[in-house]
């Protein structure tokens, strides 16, 4: 068989060398045969003994390699020195078909038992060749192809093999699980990193802006407005350069764009023709840029437009401030309708039916008396209803309501139709207080002066206070706002009275307030200062020597809206006289601006006892961040500020605290379209 292999090798060599039947070919064949027996035959002998080492196979162990590497190197050096690469390839191909004596057969049948065991042990230790190892283990249980013997696996080896397979399977599962966990962690980390990206900044440069995710984005509206601005710039330049045709075209496109924009605030409001107008305007602007663009001219025009727009913004801001202040102090149409209907029905009543019961309680100093000055019927009803609903004994509560001539009948009619249980109601008209006149009251005298009329009714007057339109509010013209400084004159037989504003609601029983010891002070109020906020220097002009000499700028302010007044102490200290003194000194509004809180701080300076803050929570008319817990725990909640609960501009999250004390199914409220 070995001779057959040699013969085939020689034939292959002859074919490669191009040898035929000539003598030269024979001599070369003899030489090759001699070399083959000397070099290749020992290699085959080594393979037959099971010591063949396949360079492409990893199964051999280190000891076998150390023993045989020198023989392999010697044989391969001899072969490579005698034969070219083509000859070696032919010999390898020829010996592959020798059947049981081929190289493949030697590797498959493993005639050497020691070599077979070394291969098996090495394959088990090598986890990277799991497939080959499984194939080898399977072959150990079957009869070899030669049929000369059969290998039977012992129970101990079989048990060890099962343990190895289980360990490999466990390691493989661990690797797969670890890989899944790693992927999941990487995905979560990527998500967290994407959350940390400032989308507000990236949105300026990315097409995936938030507005593009919004169906109601305004990108097209802003683009059209920008186009109109540039069209106006080019119109001005075209006019300077006598480009009449282009000027007319630009003006026409400006009108078209403005007509499309109209009052649209989102892209959804735009008509279908908006995209055509955008395209047409873009074409005209491109044409204008080619003909008219000049950096200096465009810059100058934009600067002039910016200055004009800035002046317009300042003017509109003043107007909006004035209108906002006016809207905050005026009565909405539904409430005005309610007042008018009540007034009509009141005068249809007979004089006997216009009287309230329990008139004897009005001057009883042993009862709990409240002072409420308002021209808003609905607001006054909420104050009374909320106080009575939370009172332990309503029969001991007396409400003194003072309003103006216009709302006097309506106020009476409402409480005649809706009496607050067993509580006592007393309604008065401020215009019937004959003692309250300009000779006694400095405010009335000042309101009648020409300077004050000019200040109020000429908004463009360049006076020192005209810049702050907040103080041009009509509420400062009403004596209902200043009547709080005359409580002993209005109620001469009372010892204590609790003053309430009409923009508050009561959530707890207030009778413990009459038990609070004011420690000889006149006014009991909740302080409003925190650090430097709401201190005296916020309200008073400390550059004036009269203010700087008499008051501490860091003194803590307090709140009007819920105030307990000791009228006996008031009279003893002549509080009204102190108020008159400072009001006369402020005729030119140099000590403070208009309002009642600054003169109240001055008048009751050093005479105010601080109440616990839970009695009175303020800010529901301007502060959107008041804690819900503070509101719910407060005895009185105050909507001070412009966002009154009866106005449309009220903050919706605070309004339910107020509306819960209104019965919207009342016939008068339904007829005037008053609803939640």
């Amino acid at each position: 068989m070995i001779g057959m292999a040699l013969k085939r090798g020689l034939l292959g060599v002859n074919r490669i060398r191009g040898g035929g039947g000539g003598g030269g070919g024979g001599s070369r064949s003899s030489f090759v045969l001699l070399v083959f027996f000397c070099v290749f035959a020992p290699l085959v002998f080594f393979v037959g003994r099971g010591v063949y080492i396949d360079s492409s196979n990893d199964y051999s162990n280190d000891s076998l390699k150390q023993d045989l590497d020198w023989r392999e190197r010697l044989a391969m050096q001899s072969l490579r020195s005698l034969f070219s690469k083509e000859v070696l390839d032919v010999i390898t191909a020829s010996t592959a078909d020798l059947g049981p004596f081929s190289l493949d057969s030697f590797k498959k049948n493993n005639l050497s038992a020691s070599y077979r065991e070394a291969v098996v042990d090495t394959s088990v230790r090598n986890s990277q060749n799991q497939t080959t190892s499984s194939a080898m283990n399977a072959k150990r249980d079957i009869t070899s192809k030669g049929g000369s013997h059969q290998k039977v696996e012992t129970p101990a080896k079989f048990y060890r093999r099962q343990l190895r397979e289980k360990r490999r399977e466990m390691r493989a599962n661990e690797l797969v699980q670890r890989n899944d966990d790693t992927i999941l962690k990487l995905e979560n980390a990527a998500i967290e990193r994407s959350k940390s990206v400032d989308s507000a900044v990236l949105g300026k440069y990315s097409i995936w802006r938030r507005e593009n995710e919004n169906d109601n984005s305004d990108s097209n509206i802003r683009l059209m407005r920008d186009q109109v601005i540039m069209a106006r710039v080019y119109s001005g330049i075209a006019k300077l350069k006598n480009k009449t045709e282009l000027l007319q075209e630009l003006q026409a496109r400006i009108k078209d764009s403005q007509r499309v924009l109209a009052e649209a605030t989102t892209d959804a409001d735009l008509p279908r023709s908006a995209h055509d107008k955008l395209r047409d305007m873009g074409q005209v602007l491109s044409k204008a840029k080619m003909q008219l663009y000049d950096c200096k001219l465009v810059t100058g025009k934009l600067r002039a437009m910016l200055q004009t727009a800035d002046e317009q913004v300042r003017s509109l801001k003043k107007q909006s401030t004035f209108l906002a202040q006016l809207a905050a102090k005026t009565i909405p149409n539904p409430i005005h309708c309610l007042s008018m209907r009540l007034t009509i029905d009141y005068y249809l009543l007979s004089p006997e039916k216009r009287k309230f019961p329990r008139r004897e309680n009005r001057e009883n100093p042993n009862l709990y008396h409240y002072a409420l000055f308002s021209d808003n019927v609905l607001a006054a009803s909420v104050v009374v209803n909320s106080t009575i609903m939370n009172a332990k004994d309503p029969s001991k509560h007396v409400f003194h309501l003072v309003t103006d001539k216009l709302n006097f009948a309506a106020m009476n009619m409402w409480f005649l139709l809706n009496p607050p249980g067993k509580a006592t109601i007393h309604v008065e008209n401020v215009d019937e207080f004959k003692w309250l006149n300009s000779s006694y009251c400095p405010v009335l005298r000042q309101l009648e002066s020409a300077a004050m009329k000019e200040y109020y009714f000429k908004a463009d007057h360049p006076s020192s206070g005209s810049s702050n339109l907040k103080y041009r509010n009509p509420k400062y013209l009403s004596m209902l706002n200043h009547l709080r400084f005359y409580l002993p004159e209005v109620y001469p037989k009372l010892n204590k009275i609790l003053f309430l504003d009409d923009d508050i609601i009561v959530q707890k029983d207030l009778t413990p307030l009459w038990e609070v010891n004011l420690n000889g002070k006149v006014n009991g109020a909740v302080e409003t200062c925190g650090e430097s906020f709401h201190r005296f220097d916020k309200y008073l002009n400390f550059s004036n020597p009269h203010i700087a000499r008499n008051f501490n700028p860091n003194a803590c302010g307090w709140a009007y809206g819920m105030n307990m007044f000791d009228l006996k102490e008031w009279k003893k200290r002549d509080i009204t006289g102190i108020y008159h003194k400072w009001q006369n000194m402020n005729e030119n509004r140099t000590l403070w601006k208009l309002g009642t809180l600054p003169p109240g701080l001055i008048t009751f300076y050093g005479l105010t006892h601080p109440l616990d803050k839970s009695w009175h929570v303020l800010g529901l008319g301007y502060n959107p961040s008041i804690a819900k817990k503070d509101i719910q725990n407060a005895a009185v909640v105050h909507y001070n500020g412009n966002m009154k609960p009866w106005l449309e501009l009220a903050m919706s999250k605070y309004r339910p605290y107020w509306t819960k004390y209104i019965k919207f199914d009342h016939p008068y409220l339904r007829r005037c379209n008053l609803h939640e």
Side-chain angles (χ1 to χ4, degrees), residues 262-406:
E263 297 180 356
T265 56
T266 63
D267 289 352
D269 299 332
L270 294 173
R272 294 182 178 179
S273 61
H275 293 284
D276 297 335
K277 302 301 180 185
L278 274 169
R279 184 188 65 248
D280 296 342
M281 177 65 89
Q283 294 173 353
V284 175
L285 289 176
S286 299
K287 180 180 177 182
K289 182 177 180 180
M290 293 175 62
Q291 298 183 20
L292 304 174
Y293 185 78
D294 183 282
C295 186
K296 290 184 178 180
L297 286 176
V298 171
T299 303
K301 286 290 182 183
L302 287 173
R303 186 180 293 112
M305 292 176 64
L306 181 61
Q307 292 175 351
T308 303
D310 188 47
E311 292 176 358
Q312 291 177 350
V313 166
R314 284 198 298 267
S315 176
L316 292 173
K317 188 176 180 180
K318 285 185 178 181
Q319 294 180 20
S320 64
T321 302
F322 175 76
L323 292 175
Q325 295 292 334
L326 186 63
K329 303 303 176 183
T330 52
I331 303 298
N333 282 337
I335 298 180
H336 180 71
C337 165
L338 175 65
S339 181
M340 293 299 100
R341 288 184 176 274
L342 290 170
T343 299
I344 294 171
D345 291 345
Y346 177 77
Y347 287 111
L348 293 176
L349 292 176
S350 61
E352 293 78 14
K353 294 183 179 180
R354 297 178 187 175
K355 297 179 181 180
F356 288 99
R358 294 179 287 276
R359 297 169 64 92
E360 67 279 0
N361 292 338
R362 295 178 182 177
E363 297 179 348
N364 186 351
N366 298 320
L367 301 179
Y368 306 120
H369 294 266
Y370 301 86
L372 176 60
F373 308 146
S374 174
D375 58 359
N376 188 328
V377 176
L378 190 64
S381 71
V382 170
V383 175
V384 174
N385 289 343
S386 63
T387 305
I388 294 303
M389 289 177 65
N390 292 285
K392 293 182 178 179
D393 188 358
S395 63
K396 293 184 178 181
H397 295 262
V398 182
F399 293 90
H400 302 270
L401 282 74
V402 181
T403 186
D404 55 16
K405 184 187 298 184
L406 182 63

Side-chain angles (χ1 to χ4, degrees), residues 6 72 130 214 309-310 312 426 444 478 548-549 560 638:
L6 295 176
E72 181 185 9
Q130 296 178 7
N214 185 4
D310 188 47
Q312 291 177 350
H426 178 207
L444 285 176
S478 173
R549 189 167 51 246
Y560 264 130
H638 195 173

Side-chain angles (χ1 to χ4, degrees), residues 89-299:
D89 292 340
V90 170
I91 293 173
T92 302
S94 300
T95 57
D97 300 330
L98 294 179
F101 296 98
S102 66
L103 297 179
D104 290 337
S105 177
F106 275 106
K107 287 188 291 183
K108 291 176 182 178
N109 292 299
N110 288 324
L111 298 179
S112 173
S114 61
Y115 171 74
R116 181 171 63 250
E117 291 297 328
V119 169
V120 171
D121 292 339
T122 303
S123 65
V124 171
R125 289 194 300 269
N126 191 348
S127 61
Q128 296 180 350
N129 295 299
Q130 296 178 7
T131 305
T132 307
S133 175
S134 300
M136 294 291 294
N137 289 331
K139 291 178 180 180
R140 290 164 58 183
D141 298 330
I142 61 174
T143 305
S144 62
K145 291 183 178 180
S148 60
H149 66 279
Q150 184 176 2
K151 177 66 179 178
V152 179
E153 189 175 43
T154 63
K157 290 184 177 180
F158 177 76
Y159 178 72
R160 287 197 299 271
R161 181 171 60 82
Q162 284 186 331
L163 290 179
R164 287 193 295 270
E165 289 177 353
K166 289 181 180 180
R167 285 197 296 270
R168 285 196 298 271
E169 185 178 356
M170 291 174 61
R171 284 197 297 270
N173 292 334
E174 289 177 359
L175 290 173
V176 172
Q177 181 65 29
R178 192 179 307 166
N179 188 42
D180 293 341
D181 294 341
T182 303
I183 294 174
L184 183 60
K185 290 179 180 178
L186 290 173
E187 290 177 351
N188 293 334
I191 293 172
E192 293 300 323
R193 286 196 299 271
S194 66
K195 290 180 180 178
S196 65
V197 175
D198 189 354
S199 58
V201 175
L202 293 180
K204 298 178 180 178
Y205 310 103
S206 172
I207 61 171
W208 306 110
R209 297 173 63 170
R210 289 185 177 181
E211 64 181 32
N212 293 323
E213 299 175 359
N214 185 4
D215 296 336
N216 297 323
S217 64
D218 60 347
S219 56
N220 289 333
I221 288 178
R222 287 187 285 109
L223 177 58
M224 293 185 74
R225 288 172 179 166
D226 292 343
Q227 287 183 336
V228 170
I229 291 173
M230 290 307 303
R232 287 174 177 168
V233 171
Y234 286 128
S235 297
I237 299 175
K239 190 174 182 180
L240 289 174
K241 295 187 175 183
N242 294 322
K243 299 285 186 177
T244 307
E245 183 177 351
L246 184 58
L247 174 62
Q248 292 176 352
E249 191 172 359
L250 285 167
Q251 290 176 343
R253 295 300 175 216
I254 290 173
K255 290 181 180 179
D256 291 343
S257 296
Q258 289 177 335
R259 192 179 300 111
V260 169
L261 286 171
E263 297 180 356
T265 56
T266 63
D267 289 352
D269 299 332
L270 294 173
R272 294 182 178 179
S273 61
H275 293 284
D276 297 335
K277 302 301 180 185
L278 274 169
R279 184 188 65 248
D280 296 342
M281 177 65 89
Q283 294 173 353
V284 175
L285 289 176
S286 299
K287 180 180 177 182
K289 182 177 180 180
M290 293 175 62
Q291 298 183 20
L292 304 174
Y293 185 78
D294 183 282
C295 186
K296 290 184 178 180
L297 286 176
V298 171
T299 303

Side-chain angles (χ1 to χ4, degrees), residues 368 370 390-392 397 496 498 508-517 564 611 615 635:
Y368 306 120
Y370 301 86
N390 292 285
K392 293 182 178 179
H397 295 262
K496 276 189 175 182
L498 183 64
K508 294 183 180 180
D509 183 27
L510 298 182
T511 54
L513 280 171
W514 274 265
E515 305 300 327
V516 173
N517 184 3
M564 176 61 70
L611 299 176
W615 280 111

Side-chain angles (χ1 to χ4, degrees), residues 318 320-326 329 455-456 465-476 534 538-539 593-595 597-598 622 641-642:
K318 285 185 178 181
S320 64
T321 302
F322 175 76
L323 292 175
Q325 295 292 334
L326 186 63
K329 303 303 176 183
Y455 177 80
Y456 272 113
S466 62
S467 61
N468 193 343
L469 296 175
K470 174 181 178 180
Y471 299 104
R472 293 185 185 279
N473 205 294
K475 74 174 185 177
Y476 300 117
H534 284 177
K538 175 179 174 64
Y539 304 100
K593 299 295 183 182
L594 293 178
L597 182 56
Y622 69 89
N642 289 336

